[in-house]
Each structure stands twice: as structure tokens, then as C-alpha cells.
Amino acid sequence: MKSGVNTLMAPFGGIGLSMQYHLDGFRAGDPSIASASAKTAKDAVDVLIVGCGPAGLTLATQLSALGDISVRIIERKPGPLEFGQADGLACRSVEMFEAFGFADRVIKEGYHVNEVSFWRPDDDGTPLVRADRIQDVEDDLSEMPHIILSQARVHDFYLESMVKSPSRLVPDYNQELISLTLTDGSDFPISATVGYVDRPGETETIRAKYVVGCDGARSKVRSELGLELKGKSARQLWGVMDVLCHTTFPDIRLKCAIQSADQGSILIIPREGGYLVRLYIELAELAPDERAADRGVTSDQLIEKARKILSPFDFEVAQVAWWSAYEIGQRVCDAFDDVMETERGTKSPRVFIAGDACHTHSPKAGQGMNVSMADAFNLGWKLAAVLHGQSCVELLDTYSKERRAKAQELIDFDRKMARLFSEKPKTKDDAARFQAYFKKHGRYTAGVETHYAPSLVVGDTSHQKLATGYPVGKRFHSGPVIRLADAKPMQLGHTLKADGRWRIIAFAPRSDMGDENGPVGTLCASLKELLQSVMSTDADVDALIDVRAVFQRSHRDMDFSKLPSLLRPQKGPLGLTDYEKVFCSLQQEHDIFRLRGINRFEGAVVVTRPDQYVSLVTPITGPAEIKEFFARVLS
Ligand code: FAD
């Protein structure tokens, strides 16, 4: 058996975090607090977000960081979530948190899922035996771990980032969307009527350019669009409880899938802090009109059920921290915006839905919070690009297309997983089928298998062979490098921040020493023309497209001063040199060229979107293709 620890995850004992600040002049104090931007009106905004769940907060954080986009986020509840709901954070979500700047806190506070164990009855009549124990995240799937942490803490980190952002954004609690009206020909074509939960009868009108419904499974925004969640009508009732317990069950600090012979199934999720444990207990299928509340489930019933499934091991609960019984159906909406497929191309979307508002599934695969955040990450930069006038409105059509395909795929996966998990295993083979499915789909549940189809923002694959580890349409897979200027070992992917910028990363051919006339230097000269044509003259050269390079030479053999000027640009009001754009590969098992299948002799260029997905792979000698791509996207 393997160690269970992803050995390539964190070279040099750290996760290679990095921050750049003081570009606008020295400023004392906490560098994570941005300079405040000018306040804008609250009754007419660029983007109105409805709902402060993971989807709404991801979108609000991304947009608030851009400062010049006015955002309002409303939430029906009186304040932030305090406990309960989801807890699984896939590796891909932790990668995204790094782009938002708080992955280190999630990693420090959370439980790290390194191994999973499977329990089931033995053929000899023993009620429960450990059938297998496997590594959870395969080696080099991600530099980030699979984490378990309360959804409420994830909300806290987002809220902190928002309040430290240039727009100092805070949600408006106790405010509930009542209705939406769309009018043509106005700068703010959507009117939202909002009611005050704590002042019945009082309402306010908020005008917006775009509205995003992140308002959960019973979304008001969705119903205002006349859309509905479609899928299996029968819904599954689930019991979930976070407990402090005494037990003789030996794997209580491991994620476990337990299938008993005739008492049902449990999923054990150890929680952050070392003592707390979550148990998911499948209860019953609800009738079409039945709600979870109709069953009158109590925490004592959940404890009793858990005791029976875990028997003959002892299981005593010392404290129930949180519990819930909730229903889940596998459902998805036909569209994630207000444009019908028959109208696509003739009208651009103004209202969007994200997260549980457009798809719901069981918690068994731990995807709810992750997929909801990924929806919002996909949408945020697209809204920003259109609002900034950098991209055509057709960019917004790619949101529904990309995320609906992802949601449908997830629902198909979840349906199969749910069925296998609920089956009463009659033989070892029955139980082994669930286990095999679980193992096979580890990459999928880690969130790294999302693969967007060719579109305006995903190019063709004709040069894929130059960098086989960077499939076009998949997320940029980080790898270890050493920064040239200061010899800092770090993760290349951690330079891809959630700042709305595109990235062009040149992986240099072996012979390239980084001088102006070398392959990367020639590429940079050509790209400089592109950047100057898309940026206003007073903006930094990398304000929209950030060019970086990775060389194969030792960092000690390279001369920073000979690098092309695009890789050491002068920026900001003081014209300071940016020293942090150039990296060198490491040796042997940490060599990014080997890890990501990059052609050593020819090199490669990888273009990534602002949400870190690979748009294009081209030869170093192919700036024309890059220019053509951006001519389409930035029109
Ligand atoms: P949500 O987190 O549902 O957020 C929507 C927000 O919008 C809410 O805060 C809501 O108050 C607000 N809102 C709704 N309507 C309006 C309106 N008209 N005006 C203003 N605000 C509005 N997943 C798991 O994996 N494991 C679990 O154990 C688990 N337990 C759950 C328990 C409960 C009670 C719920 C509701 C969900 C649970 N989930 C669980 C699902 C998981 O939390 C969701 O998949 C995830 O939160 C989806 O994020 P979201 O942002 O799309 O929606």
C-alpha cells in the first residue's frame, strides 16, 4: 500500500505562496487590505448578486477585487452562516482559494483527507470488516490537498477578502429578492424589487446591468426567469450530523464508506480540529410532494440508526454540534441564463443563475459547494471583461454552455454513485463495485477533470503534443519551479491570481538562455505589439495579459538583466521593475517539463483564461496564432 500522502503535493515543505505589493508606493500595515476605491451608488449597480452561499460569495469576492465594478450582494438571512451544510473542499477548490489568497488558512484549519477506508459485511458472517484502505488523492493530481472544513468558515474567508478589497464590499443581510423586471434600452435594464425581512412591507428597488441568482435550490431568480430544475422527481431524504463521540470503531479519523448487510449505509467524514466527526446517513426516498420536515426526523433517530449500522462497534454521542435532515434530488436547469437556445446569438444574457439554483445532487460525492463555487469563478471574469469593454457580449453565452454541461455530467455521475452506495451488498462483489467506482472517479471528485469544449475562449488542440500535460479546455495544472530573481521555490500555478487577467506562459526550448534574440525573446517582441494594441497607453503592460516564462537552465546560469523587457517590465506610478515573471525548472522528479509533458527541444506556449483554464497551446514560434485568438476574444 502507498503511504497515502500525495508526495509531489508540496515540494520544499511549503505550498509556495507568494504576494506582491508596494507597486503603487510604500504603504505600511497589512498588505492584504487593498486601497479603497471610490464609493458608488447602491441603488444602481453593475452586478446584483442574490444569495450569500458559496456561489454568491465566490462571485462577490472576484468582482469586489476589481474595484471599479459596482456590486451589491443581498441575503435573506440576518447574518453570516454559523454552522452546518457542506464541508468537502476538492483539491481544485483549494487551488481556486489560492488564487483568492486564502488557501493557506483553509489548509491550516481543515482536516486533510489522505486515505479512505471501505467497510462491509464479510462472507463468513462478520457484520463489518475493513475491505480496503486507499490513498484518497493520487500523486501529482494537484499541489493542493483534499480538505474538510465547515462551509461557514469558507464563507468567513470570502467575507474577509471582500471587506479588504478595494470596494470594501459587505453583504446586505435581511434583504430578500421579491421580483425582477427587465426593460430594454436603459443603462441599468434590470429592476429588482427587494423586501426587508426585518421590516415587513418595506421594499427597495435596485437597478442593475446584470443580476446573478446564487439563491439556492429554491431560487427566486430562477422562478422569475420561468426556469425549473428538471430531473428525477423522487428525492432522497438524508440525515447528517456533526458529533463529538466515543466509539470503538477504529477508522473514525478516516473518511469511510460503510455498507452494512441490512441496516443501511453511512459515510463518515472526520472534521477539522481532531475531534468532530460528520456522519451522513441515508434515510428514505420521499414521495413527490413530501418534504424532509414531514418525516419528523430527530437527532436521536439518527444516532440510533448510526449505532445499528456501526454495530458491533460501540458508538455513543457526547454532543451533537449540528444536525439536519434534508432532501436531495438530482436535477438540473435547461439554461443557466435568461436566453432561450432558440434566441442564442440574437440576444445577450442579463440574468444568470449559479450553484444550487441551477443544479442539485446528493452529498455523497461532496460536490455541492465545490461545483457552486466553480460556476461563479467561471462567470465572474466574463462579467468583468464585458463590463470593462474588453470582450464582446458573446463571451457571456459561454457561461451557460460550459457550466450546464458540467452540471449534467455531475448529475449522471452522482446518480450512479448514489445507486451503488445505497445498494445492500449481498456479496463481496456487490460492495467491491461501489469501491471500484469510487476509486476510478477520484480525479473527477477532486474537481480536476472539468474539460470545456472548444468555444470563443477555448482554442483548438492542433499543438497539444507540445505540452501533453496541459490539455486545452482543462485547468492549468500547477507544477514546481524556482523563481529566477530571488531563487524562491514555488508553484507556478500560484502566480495565476483571480484578478481577471489572461496569462501567456512561455516554456523555453532547452537551448534558450533568455536573451533578446533567443526563441522566448523573439516571441516577447511580437507579443509586446499585441499587448500595446489592446491596452491603453497609461496602463501597465501586463494589466490585461500577463506574460511569464519558464526556462530549463539553472537559475544560477541565467542573467536577469539580459531578459526581454516584457519579462522584466517597469510598472506602476514609480516605474518599478517586476522581478517575478521568470522561473526556471527544477531537477528530476520536480522538473515541470517532465511532469507536464512539455517538449524540451521546441518548448511550448500555454495561454490560460482568467479562471485558470487552458485556452491554447502553441509553438514558441507561433505568436500569430496567439494574436488571432486574442483578436477574437478581445473584440
Ligand atoms: P446556498 O448555499 O443554498 O446559498 C443560497 C443563499 O441564498 C442562502 O444563504 C439563502 O438564504 C439565500 N437566498 C435564497 N433566496 C433568497 C432571496 N429570495 N433573497 C435573498 N437571499 C436568498 N452539501 C453537502 O455537501 N453536505 C451537506 O451536509 C449539506 N447540507 C446541507 C444542509 C442544508 C440545510 C442546505 C440548505 C444545504 C446543504 N448542502 C450540503 C448543500 C450545500 O450547502 C450546497 O450545495 C451549497 O451551499 C450550494 O451553494 P449555493 O451558493 O449555490 O447555495
Side-chain angles (χ1 to χ4, degrees):
M1 193 184 75
K2 285 186 158 191
S3 68
V5 175
N6 179 351
T7 50
L8 276 172
M9 191 175 74
F12 315 109
I15 49 173
L17 305 178
S18 177
M19 269 182 100
Q20 263 184 311
Y21 46 96
H22 297 319
L23 177 63
D24 295 333
F26 176 79
R27 203 162 52 89
D30 180 351
S32 67
I33 303 175
S35 300
S37 59
K39 283 264 172 237
T40 49
K42 287 190 84 182
D43 58 353
V45 291
D46 290 325
V47 183
L48 169 65
I49 303 168
V50 184
C52 271
L57 292 172
T58 303
L59 184 62
T61 303
Q62 195 179 355
L63 294 176
S64 68
L66 304 176
D68 55 345
I69 291 180
S70 55
V71 181
R72 188 149 165 198
I73 177 165
I74 59 165
E75 165 60 51
R76 154 195 290 159
K77 290 187 188 132
L81 185 72
E82 285 177 20
F83 35 65
Q85 303 200 193
D87 58 4
L89 295 167
C91 301
R92 173 65 197 143
S93 296
V94 188
E95 291 175 12
M96 187 188 75
F97 294 154
E98 173 47 27
F100 282 111
F102 58 78
D104 52 336
R105 299 182 66 189
V106 170
I107 290 168
K108 186 174 163 195
E109 268 189 41
Y111 170 88
H112 293 220
V113 187
N114 287 320
E115 292 187 5
V116 185
S117 85
F118 298 86
W119 288 72
R120 60 185 186 229
D122 204 353
D123 287 349
D124 68 5
T126 312
L128 283 182
V129 289
R130 187 194 292 118
D132 204 355
R133 188 166 159 161
I134 60 168
Q135 180 169 326
D136 181 65
V137 179
E138 74 183 61
D139 283 348
D140 196 31
L141 195 64
S142 167
E143 81 285 10
M144 291 304 192
H146 176 189
I147 296 281
I148 305 293
L149 184 65
S150 161
Q151 181 174 332
R153 289 299 289 150
V154 175
H155 287 200
D156 289 345
F157 298 138
Y158 275 126
L159 291 167
E160 278 178 41
S161 299
M162 281 160 55
V163 84
K164 289 175 169 179
S165 75
S167 44
R168 303 283 190 268
L169 183 62
V170 283
D172 290 313
Y173 293 107
N174 275 321
Q175 292 195 3
E176 178 175 49
L177 179 78
I178 296 172
S179 66
L180 287 177
T181 315
L182 200 61
T183 50
D184 283 333
S186 150
D187 281 351
F188 298 94
I190 312 159
S191 279
T193 305
V194 170
Y196 292 85
V197 178
D198 52 349
R199 282 176 272 156
E202 244 185 81
T203 61
E204 178 192 349
T205 301
I206 304 172
R207 292 181 308 135
K209 290 181 181 162
Y210 294 98
V211 170
V212 187
C214 302
D215 47 347
R218 270 172 240 137
S219 168
K220 181 71 185 169
V221 176
R222 186 185 65 227
S223 67
E224 288 291 282
L225 296 183
L227 295 170
E228 48 183 294
L229 289 173
K230 292 184 181 163
K232 203 174 129 204
S233 56
R235 290 154 304 133
Q236 190 68 43
L237 178 63
W238 275 82
V240 51
M241 55 181 178
D242 292 338
V243 296
L244 297 165
C245 63
H246 306 285
T247 181
T248 52
F249 180 67
D251 286 355
I252 198 73
R253 294 307 299 163
L254 289 178
K255 177 173 172 181
C256 297
I258 303 168
Q259 294 175 292
S260 73
D262 46 23
Q263 293 297 333
S265 308
I266 280 190
L267 196 61
I268 292 184
I269 309 286
R271 291 286 301 263
E272 62 273 22
Y275 301 101
L276 195 68
V277 177
R278 171 166 287 195
L279 284 85
Y280 281 113
I281 306 159
E282 197 165 3
L283 294 173
E285 203 157 274
L286 295 170
D289 296 330
E290 206 180 5
R291 302 293 313 272
D294 301 337
R295 290 283 177 122
V297 178
T298 65
S299 58
D300 285 343
Q301 285 172 354
L302 296 184
I303 293 168
E304 197 42 43
K305 180 96 178 153
R307 219 181 255 137
K308 284 185 180 153
I309 296 171
L310 286 168
S311 174
F313 298 104
D314 294 339
F315 178 73
E316 297 302 327
V317 171
Q319 191 183 351
V320 180
W322 174 79
W323 75 276
S324 172
Y326 70 106
E327 71 256 16
I328 283 293
Q330 284 127 343
R331 300 182 186 202
V332 63
C333 250
D334 285 340
F336 290 9
D337 62 28
D338 60 338
V339 177
M340 291 192 322
E341 279 321 301
T342 49
E343 304 171 306
R344 198 69 70 190
T346 61
K347 175 181 168 192
S348 70
R350 285 283 173 183
V351 184
F352 303 84
I353 45 177
D356 277 12
C358 35
H359 45 74
T360 60
H361 21 82
S362 83
K364 266 162 289 195
Q367 296 296 297
M369 171 161 54
N370 296 291
V371 179
S372 301
M373 294 188 295
D375 285 347
F377 197 30
N378 181 294
L379 178 61
W381 68 271
K382 293 176 182 174
L383 281 173
V386 171
L387 282 163
H388 283 143
Q390 290 159 347
S391 288
C392 54
V393 289
E394 284 75 25
L395 178 63
L396 298 176
D397 290 321
T398 64
Y399 166 71
S400 184
K401 192 166 171 239
E402 291 187 336
R403 296 311 297 174
R404 196 191 174 284
K406 173 70 197 170
Q408 187 58 56
E409 185 190 287
L410 172 60
I411 279 162
D412 296 342
F413 165 77
D414 188 49
R415 203 166 275 156
K416 181 152 188 204
M417 178 100 152
R419 204 187 60 240
L420 289 173
F421 189 64
S422 307
E423 274 172 5
K424 289 195 176 64
K426 293 193 182 64
T427 63
K428 261 189 183 171
D429 286 350
D430 288 346
R433 268 193 295 138
F434 166 69
Q435 205 172 311
Y437 191 72
F438 185 96
K439 260 191 207 176
K440 186 172 156 210
H441 290 86
R443 298 177 71 89
Y444 184 83
T445 48
V448 299
E449 285 296 286
T450 302
H451 198 157
Y452 295 136
S455 69
L456 179 67
V457 280
V458 177
D460 70 52
T461 55
S462 49
H463 300 295
Q464 189 66 74
K465 63 180 185 319
L466 292 174
T468 53
Y470 286 118
V472 172
K474 292 184 89 171
R475 70 75 158 99
F476 181 85
H477 189 175
S478 185
V481 287
I482 187 161
R483 197 159 58 200
L484 172 61
D486 59 355
K488 179 181 165 81
M490 59 181 295
Q491 285 288 335
L492 184 60
H494 296 183
T495 62
L496 278 56
K497 299 294 181 202
D499 54 11
R501 291 193 290 169
W502 291 82
R503 260 92 197 179
I504 298 176
I505 303 174
F507 290 92
R510 185 177 268 163
S511 56
D512 198 336
M513 289 294 287
D515 37 55
E516 302 257 8
N517 301 322
V520 169
T522 310
L523 172 80
C524 285
S526 182
L527 291 178
K528 204 166 180 178
E529 290 167 23
L530 165 71
L531 303 196
Q532 280 160 351
S533 69
V534 294
M535 289 310 302
S536 64
T537 43
D538 54 346
D540 286 336
V541 69
D542 63 355
L544 179 56
I545 304 174
D546 176 20
V547 181
R548 293 171 185 261
V550 185
F551 291 88
Q552 296 184 53
R553 320 299 294 207
S554 160
H555 63 288
R556 293 188 181 171
D557 295 342
M558 305 237 347
D559 183 347
F560 185 87
S561 65
K562 294 224 168 80
L563 289 170
S565 60
L566 193 61
L567 294 176
R568 46 187 180 90
Q570 260 112 53
K571 295 167 37 182
L574 304 178
L576 300 177
T577 299
D578 186 339
Y579 287 93
E580 304 199 347
K581 290 188 184 287
V582 181
F583 308 87
C584 294
S585 58
L586 299 159
Q587 300 298 304
Q588 295 165 0
E589 82 265 31
H590 293 307
D591 175 4
I592 194 166
F593 283 75
R594 188 182 72 81
L595 285 168
R596 302 291 166 257
I598 301 160
N599 188 307
R600 290 186 177 285
F601 299 98
E602 295 179 46
V605 181
V606 178
V607 177
T608 67
R609 315 182 334 176
D611 60 355
Q612 306 178 323
Y613 279 78
V614 175
S615 279
L616 204 59
V617 172
T618 74
I620 286 276
T621 51
E625 283 177 56
I626 300 174
K627 287 180 184 173
E628 274 169 32
F629 174 79
F630 279 109
R632 280 196 305 275
V633 173
L634 302 179
S635 58

